[in-house]
């Protein structure tokens, strides 16, 4: 039937020759052609490329199978089928670059035929069938004389044909039911063969195709192999299931796969044939490279051994054939193309191979390099994307270092080194020389500049033995401030050292210090004003930042009248100006500072007297000086200074007192002190503030207490007494004939009429709860006769009561009805005559009272009343179990229901 090579995109007949020989018949219903191995669903396709009378064809993309059959099920002559398969059944792939090979099976039966095994395979749909039933059913089938068995899949071809290419998923012949974790083929000629050991992370001695995470023995009894449902993990892979599978869903058994062939003594039927097409590919290639230009040897290999070389990805020229190809001489990188197909296959993709022409680096250097006196030089060179190697000879020689910048060996005279670049591709440049020269170090002679007073600029001078002079502001590094043997320094305000450096042909001397001394210029920082009373001498004072002070009688020149921070001036009778000048080692202040000595006349004072205050307290003392301020004393001479200022507050006084005012102007006091009398007037005595109470529906009179005074109430009244009718704060201010006021505050509260809010009952006690909550205003009773201060009453028996509350200041009373019901928390109906019955205490006194008893589910157990007051813990004469039970107590129509629970204990 022939093996062929497929040119991608070009349909090809699947056979080169085909025949059917049958001594008994001249035709059959159908022939089946299947891509039995290598099938790629979605891109591979078989088709009948012509129309044949009474013949139809159908393509099953899942199975990869083409069926050619008679229309309406009629037989088709062998000659027609032979002609169709031989001349009109073609294969094509829609993939851009298909690979591998395709095996085609051609059979007269409907089972899938696999040429690599010579076996036949059928999928039988049977929803929900068990593995054991499927095993039996498979063994009970035959195909053209071959015994059936559950499929045993021992290769990828079998797995694909029975999994991805099957029309359904189902049982196969594997199981670990004998020994958990030891999976064997249990059917067919491979029965007993182990194909897997362990769980999902186990190993195979031959072949397996488990899905991800399988086998997992999920529910503890998954001992049977099954092809996984489509869409669950790896297509066509296996999973383990229990013998019956799941009742529904993806893990429900949908059927089983039967395999035919290979059983002992069987003869395979002659109903099938096969063919193969190969899709060759380039399996490897070796590009080549050259430095600068030249020929390059390229290599490539293909799956079929044929290699063709082209100069374009499509079309172009065929340059050579064979695994090896040497390019012509090239100067730039060039792409060549290889294919396992000759030029007749124009649709195959070609593989590109580069013939690379690499750049030979070019070295750039800095030359010459100077070494001062003797020592090592810094050698520098660059080349694009390359490594620089340094040598001591133009060819050969010794490698002295690697890198764009290196330090040479020590030199004492002119020397040449050579830089060579090697690119990352291994291309080597020509060597480039770098000359090293040796120059002596220059020396310097410097001159010290004159001192500066306060700062400024200085002339800096230095003489080099050779070259030029550079000036810096630091011993090393720093900033260049000028060049030359003589320069002017920057402006400075403090002693500063500069550094001179001789520079000759890149050789630099040691830096020499040149110090400019700045003598600080003094500054008069403070002077004190000077005053003389009427006439006399003055104390002249000043301070300076540095140095000493000299005093003069003129702003320039004049006479020196003294030296020092503080001196006594000559005798003066009128205002006089003196001048202070500071001297620091001959460095003087820029200008003299004027100090004025002022001659003052004695001040006077005018005061207001007498001053009156009301009762004990302080007084405001006030006066006006002719100049300066006022000092206040407690005596006409001497005494104590009590304050300074034109207006001050006196000390606290309780009786008439005299104070004295004296004006002072710049330490010049007035000749006399002026008396100021303070008179202390009495204030009305009203007594302490009062808190008063009255009933909320009554009135109350408030009395200021002192007659014949002036009155001002907070209500606006001006009488001695007022009448109020509501709670609040009231105040009255009383002013006497001296105009001295006094104020008293009355805090009035009302006592509310009693209102009982509720009666709080706790077992045998009851507490009367008032609406306003203030029990001290009331007294209480439960019989309306005997009253007490406490609202709580104890030891009450069951029954109906009335609570009474009345005001202690006769502001009214209130009453409220209440009931005491003594309900037990538990009872023990165990026949010991102790607490054997449940009852409501005092029930005989409550003629309308009822008690309904329920269990925890709301079922009514019994109802108690005055005529039936007890429950013995039974229901229909049967004892009820120990539990919590509930009650609803209704005393009468005027009293709310009472609900709660109690315990029956046994």
């Amino acid at each position: 039937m022939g093996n062929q090579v497929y040119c991608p995109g070009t349909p090809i007949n699947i056979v080169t020759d085909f025949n059917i020989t049958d001594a008994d018949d001249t035709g059959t219903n159908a022939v089946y052609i299947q891509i039995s191995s290598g099938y790629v669903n979605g891109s591979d396709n078989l088709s009948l490329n012509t129309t044949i009378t009474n013949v139809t064809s159908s393509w099953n993309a899942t199975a990869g199978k083409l069926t050619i059959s008679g229309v309406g099920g009629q037989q088709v002559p062998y000659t027609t089928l032979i002609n169709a398969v031989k001349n009109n059944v073609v294969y094509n792939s829609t993939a851009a670059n298909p690979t591998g090979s395709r095996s085609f099976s051609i059979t007269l039966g409907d089972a899938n035929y696999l040429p690599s095994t010579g076996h036949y395979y059928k999928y039988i749909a049977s929803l929900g069938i068990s593995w054991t039933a499927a095993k039996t059913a498979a063994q009970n089938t035959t195909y053209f004389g071959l015994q059936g068995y559950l499929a045993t899949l021992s290769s990828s071809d079998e797995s694909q044909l029975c999994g991805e290419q099957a029309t359904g998923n189902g049982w196969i012949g594997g199981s670990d039911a004998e020994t958990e974790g030891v999976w064997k083929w249990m059917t067919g000629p491979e029965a007993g063969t182990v194909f897997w050991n362990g769980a999902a992370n186990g190993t195979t001695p031959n072949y397996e195709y488990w899905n991800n995470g399988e086998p997992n023995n999920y529910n503890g009894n998954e001992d049977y192999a099954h092809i996984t449902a489509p869409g669950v993990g790896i297509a066509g892979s296996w999973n383990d299931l229990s013998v019956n599978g799941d009742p529904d869903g993806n893990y429900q058994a949908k059927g089983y796969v039967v395999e035919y062939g290979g059983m002992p003594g069987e003869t395979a039927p002659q109903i099938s044939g096969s063919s193969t097409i190969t899709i060759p590919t380039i399996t490897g290639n070796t590009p080549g490279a050259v430095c600068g230009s030249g020929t390059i040897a390229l290599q490539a290999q293909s799956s079929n051994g044929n290699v063709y070389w082209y100069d374009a990805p499509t079309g172009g020229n065929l340059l050579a054939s064979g695994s090896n190809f040497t390019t012509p001489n090239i100067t730039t990188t060039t792409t060549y193309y290889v294919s396992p197909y000759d030029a007749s296959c124009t649709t195959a993709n070609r593989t590109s191979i580069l013939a690379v022409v690499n750049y030979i680096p070019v070295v750039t250097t800095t030359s010459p390099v100077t070494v001062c006196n003797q020592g090592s030089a810094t050698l520098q060179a660059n080349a694009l994307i390359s490594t620089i190697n340094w040598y001591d000879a133009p060819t050969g020689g010794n490698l002295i270092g690697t890198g764009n910048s290196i330090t040479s060996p020590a030199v004492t005279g002119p020397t040449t080194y050579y830089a060579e670049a090697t690119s990352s591709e291994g291309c080597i440049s020509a060597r480039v020389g770098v000359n090293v020269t040796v120059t002596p170090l220059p020396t310097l002679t410097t001159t010290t500049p004159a001192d500066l007073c306060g700062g400024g600029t200085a002339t800096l001078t230095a003489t080099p033995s050779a070259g030029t002079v550079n000036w810096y502001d630091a011993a090393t590094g720093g900033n260049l401030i000028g060049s030359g043997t003589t320069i002017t320094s920057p402006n400075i305000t403090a002693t500063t050292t500069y550094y001179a450096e001789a520079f000759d042909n890149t050789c630099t001397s040691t830096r020499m210090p040149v110090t400019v001394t700045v003598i600080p210029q003094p500054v008069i920082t403070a002077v004190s004003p000077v005053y003389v009373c009427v006439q006399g001498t003055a104390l002249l004072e000043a301070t300076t930042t540095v140095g000493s002070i000299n005093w003069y009688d003129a702003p320039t020149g004049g006479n020196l009248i003294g030296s020092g921070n503080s001196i006594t001036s000559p005798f003066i009778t009128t205002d006089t100006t003196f001048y202070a000048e500071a001297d620091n080692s001959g460095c003087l202040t820029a200008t003299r500072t004027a100090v004025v000595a002022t001659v003052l006349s004695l001040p006077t004072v005018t005061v207001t007297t007498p001053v009156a205050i009301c009762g004990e307290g302080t007084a405001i003392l006030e006066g006006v000086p002719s100049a300066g301020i006022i000092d206040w004393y407690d005596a006409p001479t001497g005494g104590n200074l009590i304050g300074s200022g034109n207006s001050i507050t006196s000390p606290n006084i309780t009786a008439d007192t005299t104070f004295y005012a004296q004006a002072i102007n710049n330490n010049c006091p007035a000749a006399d002190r002026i008396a100021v009398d303070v008179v202390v007037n009495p204030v009305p005595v009203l007594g302490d503030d009062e808190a008063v109470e009255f009933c909320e529906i009554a009135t109350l009179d408030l009395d200021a207490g002192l007659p014949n005074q002036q009155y001002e109430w907070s209500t606006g009244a001006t009488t001695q007494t007022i009448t109020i009718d509501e709670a609040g704060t009231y105040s009255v201010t009383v002013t006497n004939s001296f105009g001295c006021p006094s104020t008293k505050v009355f805090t009035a509260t009302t006592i509310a009429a009693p209102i009982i809010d509720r009666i709080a009952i706790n077992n045998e006690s009851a507490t009367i709860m008032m609406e306003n909550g203030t029990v001290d205003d009331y007294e209480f009773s439960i019989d309306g006769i005997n009253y007490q201060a406490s609202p709580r009453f104890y030891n009450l028996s069951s029954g109906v009561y009335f609570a009474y509350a009345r005001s202690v200041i006769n502001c009214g009373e209130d009453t409220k009805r209440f009931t005491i019901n003594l309900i037990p928390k538990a009872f023990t109906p165990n026949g010991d005559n102790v607490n054997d019955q449940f009852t409501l205490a005092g029930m005989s006194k409550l003629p309308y009272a009822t008690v309904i008893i329920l269990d925890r589910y709301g079922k009514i157990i019994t109802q108690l009343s005055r005529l039936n007051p007890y429950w013995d813990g039974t229901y229909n004469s049967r004892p009820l179990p120990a539990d919590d039970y509930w009650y609803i107590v209704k005393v009468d129509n005027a009293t709310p229901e009472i609900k709660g629970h109690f315990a029956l204990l046994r």
Side-chain angles (χ1 to χ4, degrees):
M1 296 175 69
N3 296 323
Q4 305 176 78
V5 172
Y6 172 66
C7 177
T10 304
I12 185 174
N13 292 87
I14 64 168
V15 297
T16 56
D17 196 9
F18 178 70
N19 195 23
I20 301 173
T21 302
D22 187 344
D24 300 320
D25 298 302
T26 60
T28 186
N29 292 333
V31 66
Y32 304 90
I33 304 101
Q34 185 173 30
I35 306 175
S36 54
S37 64
Y39 175 57
V40 180
N41 192 346
S43 59
D44 286 353
N45 179 266
L46 292 176
S47 62
L48 187 65
N49 67 357
T50 190
T51 300
I52 302 175
T53 303
N54 295 325
V55 171
T56 185
S57 66
S58 63
W59 166 248
N60 186 325
T62 298
K65 179 182 284 189
L66 177 69
T67 301
I68 301 175
S69 58
V71 174
Q74 62 181 302
Q75 281 201 342
V76 181
Y78 285 144
T79 55
T80 300
L81 293 177
I82 292 169
N83 181 64
V85 172
K86 181 177 179 180
N87 299 312
N88 301 115
V89 175
V90 296
Y91 163 81
N92 197 17
S93 172
T94 59
N97 191 25
T99 60
S101 62
R102 306 289 186 269
S103 293
F104 303 95
S105 62
I106 306 169
T107 178
L108 298 180
D110 61 349
N112 294 338
Y113 175 67
L114 185 62
S116 62
T117 62
H119 293 186
Y120 297 86
Y121 305 85
K122 271 190 178 183
Y123 170 74
I124 308 298
S126 181
L127 188 66
I129 190 172
S130 69
W131 184 87
T132 53
K135 178 174 179 288
T136 300
Q139 291 170 347
N140 290 334
T141 65
T142 60
Y143 184 75
F144 288 92
L146 300 178
Q147 173 68 47
Y149 52 89
L150 278 185
T152 58
L153 310 181
S154 301
S155 69
S156 59
D157 284 355
E158 279 189 293
S159 282
Q160 181 172 3
L161 190 67
C162 296
E164 292 179 67
Q165 291 181 245
T167 56
N169 58 299
W171 297 112
I172 56 177
S175 172
D176 70 342
E178 289 184 357
T179 303
E180 181 62 38
V182 179
W183 285 86
K184 300 178 181 178
W185 296 117
M186 308 300 291
T187 58
E190 292 179 300
T193 301
V194 175
F195 65 90
W196 184 256
N197 291 295
N201 59 351
T203 58
T204 180
N206 38 67
Y207 177 78
E208 55 79 24
Y209 198 48
W210 292 111
N211 204 345
N212 295 325
E214 301 285 353
N216 58 14
N217 200 24
Y218 176 70
N219 56 17
N221 62 353
E222 293 190 332
D223 298 327
Y224 301 93
H226 189 275
I227 295 176
T228 309
V232 180
I234 303 170
S237 61
W238 312 336
N239 64 286
D240 57 336
L241 292 178
S242 60
V243 68
N244 294 311
D246 283 3
D248 53 27
N250 286 329
Y251 299 100
Q252 179 188 35
K254 302 296 192 301
Y256 54 96
V257 181
V258 185
E259 183 176 354
Y260 303 93
M263 294 296 286
E266 288 184 340
T267 301
Q270 301 299 309
I271 59 172
S272 303
S274 64
S275 67
T276 301
I277 67 168
T278 300
I279 308 172
T281 59
I282 295 298
T283 57
N285 64 80
T286 305
V290 69
C291 292
S293 63
T295 61
I296 302 174
L298 305 177
Q299 292 183 328
Q301 302 81 39
S302 73
S303 58
N304 66 350
N306 295 325
V307 178
Y308 299 91
W309 297 84
Y310 299 90
D311 59 5
T314 58
N317 300 302
L318 176 65
L319 304 176
S321 62
S323 298
N324 300 303
F325 169 62
T326 299
T327 72
N329 188 77
I330 57 177
T331 58
T332 59
T333 296
T334 304
T335 302
Y336 294 93
Y337 301 88
V338 292
S339 173
Y341 298 95
D342 61 22
S344 64
C345 181
T346 60
T347 55
N349 286 336
R350 295 173 182 175
T351 301
S352 62
I353 302 178
L354 281 180
V356 180
V357 176
N358 291 315
Y359 166 77
I360 298 176
V362 176
V363 177
T364 58
T365 63
T366 301
S367 180
V369 178
T370 300
V371 174
C372 296
N373 204 26
Q374 60 182 6
S376 299
T378 298
L379 306 179
Q380 292 181 316
N382 289 287
L384 186 65
I385 316 176
S386 301
T387 300
I388 304 294
N389 293 317
W390 295 86
Y391 296 89
D392 59 4
T395 58
N398 301 302
L399 177 68
I400 64 167
T402 298
N404 288 16
S405 178
I406 70 165
T407 300
S408 74
V411 297
T412 57
T415 306
T416 300
Y417 296 101
Y418 299 89
E420 177 185 272
T422 301
S423 70
S424 57
E425 295 83 11
C427 295
I428 301 173
S429 72
R431 293 184 185 180
V432 177
V434 176
N435 298 317
V436 180
T437 61
V438 177
T439 301
L441 288 177
T443 59
L444 273 174
T445 302
T446 61
T447 302
T448 301
D451 295 344
L452 298 178
C453 178
T457 60
T459 299
L460 307 178
T461 303
T463 303
S465 61
T468 60
V469 178
N470 290 328
W471 295 86
Y472 295 89
D473 58 6
T476 58
N479 301 301
L480 178 68
I481 64 169
S483 296
T485 56
T486 299
I487 70 166
T488 298
S489 75
N491 192 75
I492 59 175
T493 58
T495 296
T496 305
T497 299
Y498 296 101
Y499 299 87
E501 176 184 273
F503 179 79
D504 181 30
N505 194 25
T506 74
C507 291
T508 304
S509 70
T510 301
R511 292 185 184 179
M512 299 293 292
V514 177
T515 300
V516 180
T517 302
V518 175
I519 300 173
Q521 186 173 31
V523 176
I524 301 294
T525 57
V527 294
S528 300
V530 179
Y531 300 95
V532 176
C533 295
V534 184
Q535 61 182 2
T537 60
L539 183 64
L540 305 177
E541 293 181 308
T543 57
T544 179
T545 54
V546 68
S548 60
I549 296 177
N550 295 320
W551 294 87
Y552 295 88
D553 58 6
T556 59
N559 300 304
L560 178 66
I561 61 171
S563 296
N565 288 12
S566 177
I567 70 167
T568 299
S569 74
F571 190 89
I572 61 174
T573 58
T574 59
D575 294 349
T576 305
T577 302
F578 300 97
Y579 299 91
E581 178 183 80
D583 182 353
N584 179 31
S585 300
C587 185
L588 306 177
T589 52
T591 59
R592 294 177 183 176
T593 299
V595 178
V596 179
T598 304
V599 177
L600 302 174
S601 58
L602 297 182
T604 60
V605 66
T606 302
V607 298
T608 301
T609 188
V611 177
I613 64 172
C614 292
E616 177 183 352
T618 60
I620 301 300
L621 305 179
E622 295 180 311
V624 179
S626 62
I629 62 170
I630 301 174
D631 286 342
W632 296 86
Y633 296 88
D634 59 4
T637 59
N640 301 301
L641 178 68
I642 63 170
S644 295
N646 293 356
S647 177
I648 70 165
T649 299
S650 74
N652 194 74
I653 58 175
T654 59
D656 295 351
T657 305
T658 301
F659 297 98
Y660 300 90
Q662 184 178 43
I664 185 167
N665 181 25
N666 289 315
N667 294 321
C668 290
D672 299 303
R673 295 178 184 176
I674 305 301
V676 176
D677 297 322
V678 179
V679 178
V680 179
N681 292 318
V683 296
V685 179
L686 302 180
D688 295 335
D689 294 344
E690 291 185 35
V692 295
E693 295 178 337
F694 65 104
C695 296
E696 64 180 352
I697 58 175
T699 61
L700 179 68
D701 291 335
L702 302 180
D703 190 345
L706 292 178
N708 303 319
Q709 308 288 324
Q710 291 182 359
Y711 310 96
E712 184 178 354
W713 290 87
S714 56
T715 63
T718 58
T719 56
Q720 181 177 334
T721 64
I722 64 171
T723 300
I724 63 172
D725 59 4
E726 60 181 34
T729 300
Y730 300 88
S731 64
V732 61
T733 299
V734 179
T735 305
N736 61 18
S737 59
F738 297 104
C740 292
S742 183
T743 300
K744 182 175 182 177
V745 176
F746 297 89
T747 302
T749 57
T750 58
I751 303 299
I755 299 175
I756 298 174
D757 177 51
R758 59 189 174 86
I759 312 299
I761 299 171
N762 183 11
N763 292 329
E764 299 176 357
S765 67
T767 302
I768 301 173
M769 310 297 289
M770 301 304 293
E771 190 173 87
N772 68 355
T774 307
V775 298
D776 293 342
D777 295 335
Y778 311 103
E779 55 186 7
F780 308 92
S781 173
I782 59 172
D783 59 8
I785 300 171
N786 300 300
Y787 282 86
Q788 64 184 42
S790 171
R792 190 164 189 177
F793 296 88
Y794 298 91
N795 301 318
L796 302 180
S797 60
S798 294
V800 178
Y801 293 86
F802 287 89
Y804 300 87
R806 69 185 182 188
S807 169
V808 296
I809 62 171
N810 297 319
C811 290
E813 70 177 7
D814 191 20
T815 184
K816 186 179 284 290
R817 181 177 181 273
F818 68 94
T819 303
I820 295 293
N821 299 292
L822 300 181
I823 303 172
K825 295 296 183 183
F827 79 111
T828 57
N830 52 16
D832 61 356
N833 295 322
V834 178
N835 200 23
D836 277 346
Q837 294 178 320
F838 176 87
T839 187
L840 181 66
M843 198 165 183
S844 60
K845 301 177 184 179
L846 305 170
Y848 304 109
T850 61
V851 181
I852 298 174
I853 298 175
L854 309 95
D855 65 11
R856 64 170 58 248
Y857 305 106
K859 178 181 178 182
I860 297 176
I861 304 300
T862 187
Q863 180 171 317
L864 305 182
S865 66
R866 182 167 62 88
L867 299 177
N868 177 34
Y870 302 103
W871 180 50
D872 61 359
T874 66
Y875 180 72
N876 291 335
S877 300
R878 297 177 60 188
L880 291 180
D883 202 348
D884 275 358
Y885 293 84
W886 295 81
Y887 58 79
I888 303 174
V889 176
K890 183 69 174 177
V891 175
D892 52 36
N893 290 334
T895 305
E897 288 183 346
I898 303 171
K899 298 180 180 180
H901 63 91
F902 62 93
L904 188 159
L905 306 175
R906 293 192 181 277

